[in-house]
Amino acid sequence: MAKEEPPSVSEDLQNLRRKMSLLIKSFQNNSKVVAFTKSPVGQYLDRHPFLALSMLVFMALSAVPVGLFGLVVVLSSLAALVGVLLLEGLVISVGGITLLCVLCGLVFISLALSGAVIVSYVVVSSLINYWFSSRVLCVSQNPPPACEPCSDRESNTEECKTLATH
Protein backbone atom coordinates (compact mmCIF):
# COMPACT_ATOMS: atom_id res chain seq x y z
CA MET A 1 0.00 0.00 0.00
CA ALA A 2 1.23 3.45 -0.80
CA LYS A 3 1.51 5.81 2.12
CA GLU A 4 -0.08 9.21 1.83
CA GLU A 5 2.28 12.08 2.52
CA PRO A 6 1.10 14.54 5.17
CA PRO A 7 0.45 18.06 3.92
CA SER A 8 3.37 20.43 4.30
CA VAL A 9 3.55 23.02 7.05
CA SER A 10 3.17 25.90 4.61
CA GLU A 11 -0.07 24.42 3.24
CA ASP A 12 -1.41 24.06 6.78
CA LEU A 13 -0.47 27.65 7.56
CA GLN A 14 -2.13 28.87 4.37
CA ASN A 15 -5.32 26.94 5.20
CA LEU A 16 -5.29 28.35 8.73
CA ARG A 17 -4.70 31.86 7.38
CA ARG A 18 -7.59 31.48 4.92
CA LYS A 19 -9.97 30.27 7.65
CA MET A 20 -8.94 33.07 10.02
CA SER A 21 -9.40 35.61 7.23
CA LEU A 22 -12.95 34.37 6.61
CA LEU A 23 -13.73 34.49 10.34
CA ILE A 24 -12.41 38.04 10.65
CA LYS A 25 -14.40 39.16 7.59
CA SER A 26 -17.59 37.69 9.06
CA PHE A 27 -17.02 39.67 12.26
CA GLN A 28 -16.21 42.85 10.37
CA ASN A 29 -19.34 42.56 8.22
CA ASN A 30 -21.67 42.16 11.22
CA SER A 31 -24.01 45.18 11.42
CA LYS A 32 -23.52 45.63 15.17
CA VAL A 33 -19.73 45.59 14.80
CA VAL A 34 -19.90 48.12 11.96
CA ALA A 35 -22.11 50.41 14.06
CA PHE A 36 -19.72 50.14 17.03
CA THR A 37 -16.60 50.83 14.95
CA LYS A 38 -18.21 53.98 13.52
CA SER A 39 -18.99 55.30 17.02
CA PRO A 40 -16.47 57.62 18.74
CA VAL A 41 -15.59 54.94 21.29
CA GLY A 42 -14.99 52.38 18.53
CA GLN A 43 -12.78 54.80 16.60
CA TYR A 44 -10.78 55.59 19.74
CA LEU A 45 -10.26 51.90 20.51
CA ASP A 46 -9.30 51.29 16.87
CA ARG A 47 -6.49 53.84 17.26
CA HIS A 48 -5.41 52.30 20.61
CA PRO A 49 -5.33 48.48 20.22
CA PHE A 50 -3.46 47.82 23.49
CA LEU A 51 -6.17 49.66 25.42
CA ALA A 52 -8.87 47.72 23.56
CA LEU A 53 -7.20 44.40 24.36
CA SER A 54 -6.73 45.42 27.99
CA MET A 55 -10.42 46.36 28.26
CA LEU A 56 -11.47 43.06 26.68
CA VAL A 57 -9.31 41.03 29.08
CA PHE A 58 -10.53 43.11 32.05
CA MET A 59 -14.18 42.60 31.14
CA ALA A 60 -13.68 38.86 30.69
CA LEU A 61 -11.88 38.54 34.02
CA SER A 62 -14.32 40.73 35.95
CA ALA A 63 -17.50 38.96 34.82
CA VAL A 64 -17.45 36.36 37.62
CA PRO A 65 -16.75 38.77 40.54
CA VAL A 66 -19.38 41.23 39.32
CA GLY A 67 -21.91 38.41 38.92
CA LEU A 68 -21.17 37.09 42.39
CA PHE A 69 -21.50 40.59 43.82
CA GLY A 70 -24.86 41.01 42.07
CA LEU A 71 -25.99 37.70 43.53
CA VAL A 72 -24.95 38.81 47.02
CA VAL A 73 -26.82 42.10 46.54
CA VAL A 74 -29.99 40.31 45.42
CA LEU A 75 -29.80 37.77 48.24
CA SER A 76 -29.13 40.45 50.84
CA SER A 77 -32.02 42.51 49.45
CA LEU A 78 -34.28 39.51 49.94
CA ALA A 79 -32.99 39.21 53.49
CA ALA A 80 -33.81 42.91 54.01
CA LEU A 81 -37.39 42.22 53.04
CA VAL A 82 -37.49 39.79 55.92
CA GLY A 83 -36.23 42.48 58.28
CA VAL A 84 -32.44 42.38 58.41
CA LEU A 85 -31.72 45.98 57.34
CA LEU A 86 -28.46 46.34 59.26
CA LEU A 87 -27.07 43.13 57.84
CA GLU A 88 -27.86 44.27 54.31
CA GLY A 89 -26.01 47.54 54.68
CA LEU A 90 -23.01 45.78 56.20
CA VAL A 91 -22.89 43.04 53.56
CA ILE A 92 -23.29 45.47 50.66
CA SER A 93 -20.62 47.85 51.96
CA VAL A 94 -18.16 45.04 52.73
CA GLY A 95 -19.00 43.41 49.40
CA GLY A 96 -18.56 46.72 47.59
CA ILE A 97 -15.16 47.29 49.15
CA THR A 98 -14.17 43.70 48.36
CA LEU A 99 -15.36 44.10 44.78
CA LEU A 100 -13.38 47.32 44.45
CA CYS A 101 -10.22 45.56 45.65
CA VAL A 102 -10.78 42.58 43.32
CA LEU A 103 -11.42 44.83 40.31
CA CYS A 104 -8.29 46.88 41.05
CA GLY A 105 -6.29 43.67 41.12
CA LEU A 106 -7.91 42.52 37.88
CA VAL A 107 -6.87 45.79 36.20
CA PHE A 108 -3.22 44.95 36.86
CA ILE A 109 -3.68 41.33 35.80
CA SER A 110 -5.42 42.34 32.56
CA LEU A 111 -2.66 44.83 31.74
CA ALA A 112 -0.02 42.16 32.36
CA LEU A 113 -1.89 39.57 30.27
CA SER A 114 -2.41 42.09 27.45
CA GLY A 115 1.28 42.97 27.52
CA ALA A 116 2.23 39.30 27.38
CA VAL A 117 -0.15 38.70 24.46
CA ILE A 118 1.23 41.69 22.56
CA VAL A 119 4.85 40.65 23.18
CA SER A 120 4.19 37.04 22.16
CA TYR A 121 2.33 38.23 19.04
CA VAL A 122 5.25 40.43 18.02
CA VAL A 123 7.79 37.67 18.68
CA VAL A 124 5.84 34.96 16.87
CA SER A 125 5.04 37.17 13.87
CA SER A 126 8.70 38.24 13.66
CA LEU A 127 9.84 34.62 13.77
CA ILE A 128 7.32 33.58 11.13
CA ASN A 129 8.29 36.51 8.90
CA TYR A 130 11.99 35.68 9.36
CA TRP A 131 11.38 32.01 8.60
CA PHE A 132 9.36 32.66 5.45
CA SER A 133 11.74 35.37 4.23
CA SER A 134 14.75 33.08 4.69
CA ARG A 135 12.97 30.28 2.79
CA VAL A 136 12.12 32.67 -0.04
CA LEU A 137 15.74 33.89 -0.04
CA CYS A 138 17.08 30.31 -0.24
CA VAL A 139 14.73 29.39 -3.08
CA SER A 140 15.53 32.57 -5.02
CA GLN A 141 19.33 32.16 -4.68
CA ASN A 142 19.22 28.52 -5.90
CA PRO A 143 21.37 27.09 -3.05
CA PRO A 144 23.56 23.96 -3.39
CA PRO A 145 21.89 20.60 -2.62
CA ALA A 146 21.62 19.76 1.07
CA CYS A 147 23.48 16.43 0.69
CA GLU A 148 26.52 18.13 -0.83
CA PRO A 149 28.55 20.01 1.82
CA CYS A 150 30.28 23.20 0.82
CA SER A 151 33.76 21.86 1.66
CA ASP A 152 33.51 19.09 -0.99
CA ARG A 153 32.74 21.50 -3.82
CA GLU A 154 35.68 22.93 -5.72
CA SER A 155 33.75 25.71 -7.40
CA ASN A 156 31.73 28.43 -5.70
CA THR A 157 33.41 28.01 -2.28
CA GLU A 158 33.00 31.74 -1.69
CA GLU A 159 29.25 31.40 -2.40
CA CYS A 160 29.01 28.60 0.22
CA LYS A 161 30.78 30.69 2.83
CA THR A 162 28.48 33.61 2.05
CA LEU A 163 25.36 31.43 2.36
CA ALA A 164 26.69 29.84 5.58
CA THR A 165 27.12 33.24 7.26
CA HIS A 166 23.50 34.25 6.47
Side-chain angles (χ1 to χ4, degrees), residues 100-124:
L100 179 66
C101 293
V102 168
L103 291 179
C104 287
L106 286 177
V107 166
F108 294 116
I109 291 172
S110 64
L111 288 173
L113 284 175
S114 298
V117 167
I118 294 292
V119 167
S120 62
Y121 170 77
V122 169
V123 168
V124 168

mmCIF file of all heavy atoms in Angstrom, residues 100-124:
data_model
loop_
_atom_site.group_PDB
_atom_site.id
_atom_site.type_symbol
_atom_site.label_atom_id
_atom_site.label_comp_id
_atom_site.label_asym_id
_atom_site.label_seq_id
_atom_site.Cartn_x
_atom_site.Cartn_y
_atom_site.Cartn_z
ATOM 1 N N LEU A 100 -14.312 46.282 44.888
ATOM 2 C CA LEU A 100 -13.382 47.319 44.448
ATOM 3 C C LEU A 100 -11.950 46.805 44.482
ATOM 4 O O LEU A 100 -11.180 47.026 43.537
ATOM 5 C CB LEU A 100 -13.532 48.562 45.323
ATOM 6 C CG LEU A 100 -12.606 49.727 45.001
ATOM 7 C CD1 LEU A 100 -12.950 50.294 43.636
ATOM 8 C CD2 LEU A 100 -12.718 50.788 46.068
ATOM 9 N N CYS A 101 -11.582 46.104 45.544
ATOM 10 C CA CYS A 101 -10.223 45.559 45.648
ATOM 11 C C CYS A 101 -9.964 44.509 44.565
ATOM 12 O O CYS A 101 -8.899 44.495 43.937
ATOM 13 C CB CYS A 101 -9.994 44.956 47.026
ATOM 14 S SG CYS A 101 -9.997 46.181 48.353
ATOM 15 N N VAL A 102 -10.943 43.628 44.346
ATOM 16 C CA VAL A 102 -10.777 42.583 43.323
ATOM 17 C C VAL A 102 -10.650 43.209 41.942
ATOM 18 O O VAL A 102 -9.795 42.809 41.134
ATOM 19 C CB VAL A 102 -11.957 41.580 43.375
ATOM 20 C CG1 VAL A 102 -11.979 40.678 42.165
ATOM 21 C CG2 VAL A 102 -11.892 40.762 44.649
ATOM 22 N N LEU A 103 -11.477 44.202 41.634
ATOM 23 C CA LEU A 103 -11.419 44.831 40.313
ATOM 24 C C LEU A 103 -10.112 45.593 40.114
ATOM 25 O O LEU A 103 -9.569 45.615 38.997
ATOM 26 C CB LEU A 103 -12.619 45.745 40.102
ATOM 27 C CG LEU A 103 -13.974 45.036 39.972
ATOM 28 C CD1 LEU A 103 -15.085 46.056 39.780
ATOM 29 C CD2 LEU A 103 -13.968 44.035 38.847
ATOM 30 N N CYS A 104 -9.595 46.212 41.168
ATOM 31 C CA CYS A 104 -8.293 46.884 41.045
ATOM 32 C C CYS A 104 -7.198 45.868 40.754
ATOM 33 O O CYS A 104 -6.306 46.117 39.930
ATOM 34 C CB CYS A 104 -7.971 47.661 42.322
ATOM 35 S SG CYS A 104 -8.960 49.148 42.518
ATOM 36 N N GLY A 105 -7.262 44.723 41.407
ATOM 37 C CA GLY A 105 -6.293 43.670 41.116
ATOM 38 C C GLY A 105 -6.432 43.150 39.701
ATOM 39 O O GLY A 105 -5.442 42.862 39.024
ATOM 40 N N LEU A 106 -7.685 43.020 39.231
ATOM 41 C CA LEU A 106 -7.911 42.521 37.876
ATOM 42 C C LEU A 106 -7.420 43.509 36.818
ATOM 43 O O LEU A 106 -7.048 43.105 35.713
ATOM 44 C CB LEU A 106 -9.384 42.212 37.663
ATOM 45 C CG LEU A 106 -9.889 40.948 38.354
ATOM 46 C CD1 LEU A 106 -11.377 40.782 38.121
ATOM 47 C CD2 LEU A 106 -9.136 39.733 37.869
ATOM 48 N N VAL A 107 -7.428 44.795 37.140
ATOM 49 C CA VAL A 107 -6.874 45.785 36.204
ATOM 50 C C VAL A 107 -5.402 45.486 35.947
ATOM 51 O O VAL A 107 -4.948 45.444 34.802
ATOM 52 C CB VAL A 107 -7.052 47.223 36.741
ATOM 53 C CG1 VAL A 107 -6.193 48.209 35.983
ATOM 54 C CG2 VAL A 107 -8.498 47.636 36.665
ATOM 55 N N PHE A 108 -4.644 45.236 37.021
ATOM 56 C CA PHE A 108 -3.217 44.951 36.862
ATOM 57 C C PHE A 108 -2.998 43.619 36.151
ATOM 58 O O PHE A 108 -2.116 43.502 35.294
ATOM 59 C CB PHE A 108 -2.517 44.957 38.220
ATOM 60 C CG PHE A 108 -2.510 46.309 38.870
ATOM 61 C CD1 PHE A 108 -3.169 46.516 40.067
ATOM 62 C CD2 PHE A 108 -1.868 47.386 38.278
ATOM 63 C CE1 PHE A 108 -3.185 47.769 40.667
ATOM 64 C CE2 PHE A 108 -1.879 48.640 38.868
ATOM 65 C CZ PHE A 108 -2.533 48.829 40.064
ATOM 66 N N ILE A 109 -3.808 42.620 36.470
ATOM 67 C CA ILE A 109 -3.680 41.327 35.802
ATOM 68 C C ILE A 109 -4.001 41.452 34.311
ATOM 69 O O ILE A 109 -3.298 40.897 33.469
ATOM 70 C CB ILE A 109 -4.581 40.277 36.482
ATOM 71 C CG1 ILE A 109 -4.045 39.957 37.875
ATOM 72 C CG2 ILE A 109 -4.670 39.008 35.649
ATOM 73 C CD1 ILE A 109 -4.967 39.074 38.693
ATOM 74 N N SER A 110 -5.057 42.198 33.979
ATOM 75 C CA SER A 110 -5.423 42.336 32.563
ATOM 76 C C SER A 110 -4.353 43.108 31.792
ATOM 77 O O SER A 110 -4.073 42.785 30.632
ATOM 78 C CB SER A 110 -6.788 43.002 32.416
ATOM 79 O OG SER A 110 -6.756 44.321 32.901
ATOM 80 N N LEU A 111 -3.748 44.114 32.410
ATOM 81 C CA LEU A 111 -2.661 44.833 31.738
ATOM 82 C C LEU A 111 -1.468 43.917 31.507
ATOM 83 O O LEU A 111 -0.849 43.938 30.435
ATOM 84 C CB LEU A 111 -2.247 46.055 32.554
ATOM 85 C CG LEU A 111 -3.228 47.222 32.565
ATOM 86 C CD1 LEU A 111 -2.764 48.295 33.543
ATOM 87 C CD2 LEU A 111 -3.393 47.797 31.183
ATOM 88 N N ALA A 112 -1.144 43.085 32.510
ATOM 89 C CA ALA A 112 -0.016 42.159 32.359
ATOM 90 C C ALA A 112 -0.310 41.118 31.284
ATOM 91 O O ALA A 112 0.549 40.815 30.449
ATOM 92 C CB ALA A 112 0.287 41.480 33.694
ATOM 93 N N LEU A 113 -1.525 40.562 31.287
ATOM 94 C CA LEU A 113 -1.886 39.575 30.267
ATOM 95 C C LEU A 113 -1.886 40.199 28.874
ATOM 96 O O LEU A 113 -1.428 39.579 27.913
ATOM 97 C CB LEU A 113 -3.253 38.969 30.565
ATOM 98 C CG LEU A 113 -3.304 37.932 31.679
ATOM 99 C CD1 LEU A 113 -4.742 37.521 31.950
ATOM 100 C CD2 LEU A 113 -2.470 36.723 31.322
ATOM 101 N N SER A 114 -2.399 41.420 28.751
ATOM 102 C CA SER A 114 -2.406 42.091 27.450
ATOM 103 C C SER A 114 -0.983 42.345 26.973
ATOM 104 O O SER A 114 -0.671 42.159 25.793
ATOM 105 C CB SER A 114 -3.167 43.401 27.538
ATOM 106 O OG SER A 114 -4.497 43.170 27.882
ATOM 107 N N GLY A 115 -0.131 42.762 27.878
ATOM 108 C CA GLY A 115 1.275 42.970 27.517
ATOM 109 C C GLY A 115 1.942 41.687 27.065
ATOM 110 O O GLY A 115 2.683 41.671 26.075
ATOM 111 N N ALA A 116 1.652 40.587 27.766
ATOM 112 C CA ALA A 116 2.228 39.299 27.382
ATOM 113 C C ALA A 116 1.706 38.855 26.024
ATOM 114 O O ALA A 116 2.460 38.321 25.198
ATOM 115 C CB ALA A 116 1.912 38.253 28.446
ATOM 116 N N VAL A 117 0.416 39.072 25.761
ATOM 117 C CA VAL A 117 -0.148 38.699 24.463
ATOM 118 C C VAL A 117 0.483 39.534 23.350
ATOM 119 O O VAL A 117 0.842 39.017 22.291
ATOM 120 C CB VAL A 117 -1.686 38.852 24.475
ATOM 121 C CG1 VAL A 117 -2.259 38.787 23.080
ATOM 122 C CG2 VAL A 117 -2.316 37.797 25.350
ATOM 123 N N ILE A 118 0.631 40.823 23.577
ATOM 124 C CA ILE A 118 1.232 41.694 22.558
ATOM 125 C C ILE A 118 2.684 41.283 22.291
ATOM 126 O O ILE A 118 3.102 41.179 21.127
ATOM 127 C CB ILE A 118 1.159 43.175 22.998
ATOM 128 C CG1 ILE A 118 -0.283 43.670 23.061
ATOM 129 C CG2 ILE A 118 1.995 44.071 22.097
ATOM 130 C CD1 ILE A 118 -0.966 43.783 21.724
ATOM 131 N N VAL A 119 3.449 41.030 23.351
ATOM 132 C CA VAL A 119 4.852 40.646 23.179
ATOM 133 C C VAL A 119 4.952 39.317 22.448
ATOM 134 O O VAL A 119 5.750 39.172 21.514
ATOM 135 C CB VAL A 119 5.565 40.586 24.552
ATOM 136 C CG1 VAL A 119 6.911 39.899 24.445
ATOM 137 C CG2 VAL A 119 5.739 41.984 25.114
ATOM 138 N N SER A 120 4.127 38.336 22.837
ATOM 139 C CA SER A 120 4.188 37.041 22.161
ATOM 140 C C SER A 120 3.742 37.163 20.706
ATOM 141 O O SER A 120 4.303 36.507 19.832
ATOM 142 C CB SER A 120 3.345 36.001 22.894
ATOM 143 O OG SER A 120 2.000 36.382 22.901
ATOM 144 N N TYR A 121 2.760 38.019 20.429
ATOM 145 C CA TYR A 121 2.325 38.229 19.043
ATOM 146 C C TYR A 121 3.466 38.813 18.214
ATOM 147 O O TYR A 121 3.729 38.366 17.097
ATOM 148 C CB TYR A 121 1.119 39.154 19.000
ATOM 149 C CG TYR A 121 0.762 39.604 17.615
ATOM 150 C CD1 TYR A 121 0.102 38.758 16.741
ATOM 151 C CD2 TYR A 121 1.108 40.874 17.159
ATOM 152 C CE1 TYR A 121 -0.204 39.155 15.452
ATOM 153 C CE2 TYR A 121 0.803 41.273 15.881
ATOM 154 C CZ TYR A 121 0.149 40.416 15.034
ATOM 155 O OH TYR A 121 -0.148 40.804 13.765
ATOM 156 N N VAL A 122 4.154 39.804 18.754
ATOM 157 C CA VAL A 122 5.248 40.431 18.017
ATOM 158 C C VAL A 122 6.378 39.425 17.783
ATOM 159 O O VAL A 122 6.925 39.324 16.678
ATOM 160 C CB VAL A 122 5.760 41.683 18.769
ATOM 161 C CG1 VAL A 122 7.055 42.188 18.180
ATOM 162 C CG2 VAL A 122 4.706 42.773 18.758
ATOM 163 N N VAL A 123 6.703 38.636 18.812
ATOM 164 C CA VAL A 123 7.795 37.668 18.679
ATOM 165 C C VAL A 123 7.436 36.586 17.669
ATOM 166 O O VAL A 123 8.223 36.268 16.771
ATOM 167 C CB VAL A 123 8.127 37.051 20.063
ATOM 168 C CG1 VAL A 123 9.031 35.843 19.918
ATOM 169 C CG2 VAL A 123 8.770 38.090 20.959
ATOM 170 N N VAL A 124 6.242 36.030 17.781
ATOM 171 C CA VAL A 124 5.836 34.958 16.867
ATOM 172 C C VAL A 124 5.733 35.476 15.437
ATOM 173 O O VAL A 124 6.195 34.826 14.496
ATOM 174 C CB VAL A 124 4.505 34.321 17.331
ATOM 175 C CG1 VAL A 124 3.923 33.420 16.268
ATOM 176 C CG2 VAL A 124 4.714 33.554 18.618
#
